[in-house]
């Protein structure tokens, strides 16, 4: 059931242009043989031909059965997010065009639009660059995700998590949309940024909205 969910959203990565072909990866918290961990998309397989047996289980300690296939080369940051963020139940990582373009500037996205609050704060952070798949990159991502549920990754892409795959996916799409708007905003000059005070009000409203 959870494996087919991973496949469904991995295919959606391609069909919605969040990430083309094999780039980007999807995971969801899971248990196998009493072991806590997560199901993640495999390394080097086209998402259009994924089968449940291709989805790899990785434990929260980072162990997996090599005979059953190789997890995405980027499994480490999935592991670290699940270990450190209790509210992360599913993760979507994408090399979506606009988020990736903005990430090459290695800067946070300021409150040029109140919707940056969907990531959980007054701006959207950008994790420092490190080689893909490394523990160092994983650490950088965790710092950018402090009090946030999504961030950019320098010269790489974006990552979003949520209480289920649907929510994580929606958030990744929202981040892509915000980046698209931001690219257009900076094309015509320097946008006016909303004040911290205003963003506090927005964040408060969003929390209530989520609860309601
Ligand atoms: Zn990546």
């Amino acid at each position: 059931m959870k494996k087919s969910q991973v496949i469904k959203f991995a295919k959606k990565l391609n069909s919605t242009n969040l990430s083309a072909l094999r780039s980007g990866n999807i995971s969801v918290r899971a248990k196998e043989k009493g072991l806590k961990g997560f199901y993640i998309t495999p390394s080097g397989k086209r998402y259009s031909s994924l089968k449940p047996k291709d989805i790899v289980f990785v434990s929260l300690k980072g162990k997996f059965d090599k005979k059953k296939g190789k997890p995405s080369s980027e499994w480490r940051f999935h592991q670290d997010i699940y270990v450190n963020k209790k509210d992360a139940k599913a993760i979507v990582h994408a090399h979506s065009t606009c988020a990736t373009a903005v990430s090459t500037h290695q800067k946070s996205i300021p409150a040029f639009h109140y919707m940056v609050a969907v990531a959980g704060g007054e701006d959207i952070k950008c994790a420092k660059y490190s080689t893909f798949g490394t523990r160092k990159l994983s650490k950088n991502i965790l710092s950018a995700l402090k009090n946030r549920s999504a961030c950019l990754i320098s010269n790489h892409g974006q990552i979003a998590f949520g209480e289920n795959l649907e929510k994580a996916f929606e958030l990744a799409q929202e981040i892509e949309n915000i980046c698209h708007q931001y690219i257009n905003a900076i094309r015509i000059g320097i946008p006016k940024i909303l004040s911290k005070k205003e963003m506090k009000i927005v964040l408060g409203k969003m929390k209530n909205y989520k609860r309601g």
Side-chain angles (χ1 to χ4, degrees):
M1 166 70 184
K2 278 193 170 172
K3 283 187 176 183
S4 54
Q5 255 193 331
V6 171
I7 294 174
K8 178 180 152 195
F9 282 94
K11 286 183 176 164
K12 223 174 150 187
L13 260 187
N14 289 168
S15 64
T16 56
N17 290 336
L18 260 191
S19 273
L21 301 171
R22 275 164 273 207
S23 70
N25 32 73
I26 301 264
S27 72
V28 66
R29 266 191 208 271
K31 255 187 184 175
E32 224 176 53
K33 291 171 196 153
L35 221 57
K36 283 183 185 168
F38 54 95
Y39 285 129
I40 186 167
T41 42
S43 166
K45 285 213 167 113
R46 268 182 193 267
Y47 291 163
S48 54
S49 57
L50 282 183
K51 300 270 177 313
K53 65 171 175 43
D54 299 322
I55 304 303
V56 184
F57 178 80
V58 180
S59 79
L60 285 187
K61 290 191 171 146
K63 300 262 185 288
F64 52 89
D65 185 350
K66 284 187 189 116
K67 280 177 273 170
K68 288 190 177 167
K70 256 169 79 180
S72 157
S73 57
E74 301 191 285
W75 62 268
R76 280 190 181 83
F77 60 66
H78 290 257
Q79 178 202 1
D80 281 337
I81 291 171
Y82 288 128
V83 169
N84 289 282
K85 301 259 184 197
K86 294 218 160 45
D87 47 342
K89 303 273 195 278
I91 299 172
V92 172
H93 164 57
H95 299 177
S96 53
T97 307
C98 296
T100 303
V102 175
S103 82
T104 64
H105 289 249
Q106 304 190 344
K107 279 192 295 205
S108 305
I109 303 174
F112 78 104
H113 191 295
Y114 73 86
M115 279 299 280
V116 299
V118 288
E122 59 180 46
D123 57 8
I124 299 170
K125 304 279 187 210
C126 185
K128 281 190 187 150
Y129 183 81
S130 203
T131 313
F132 76 95
T134 59
R135 195 57 85 191
K136 179 84 177 62
L137 178 61
S138 193
K139 269 192 178 167
N140 297 346
I141 290 171
L142 275 182
S143 350
L145 284 177
K146 195 173 174 215
N147 303 320
R148 302 282 189 281
S149 51
C151 71
L152 300 181
I153 310 169
S154 286
N155 308 81
H156 186 151
Q158 60 142 314
I159 188 157
F161 69 80
E163 61 192 62
N164 55 44
L165 263 175
E166 210 147 28
K167 294 257 167 74
F169 199 89
E170 215 177 271
L171 182 55
Q173 283 187 303
E174 194 58 66
I175 300 298
E176 177 63 5
N177 191 32
I178 289 168
C179 288
H180 190 202
Q181 292 163 343
Y182 188 53
I183 289 169
N184 278 298
I186 55 179
R187 271 161 72 173
I188 50 169
I190 300 168
K192 297 269 187 286
I193 304 304
L194 297 171
S195 67
K196 277 183 188 276
K197 197 177 147 206
E198 176 58 21
M199 285 308 287
K200 258 196 186 153
I201 299 171
V202 171
L203 284 159
K205 280 188 91 154
M206 278 197 174
K207 259 185 206 153
N208 289 333
Y209 176 70
K210 270 184 193 163
R211 272 191 213 119

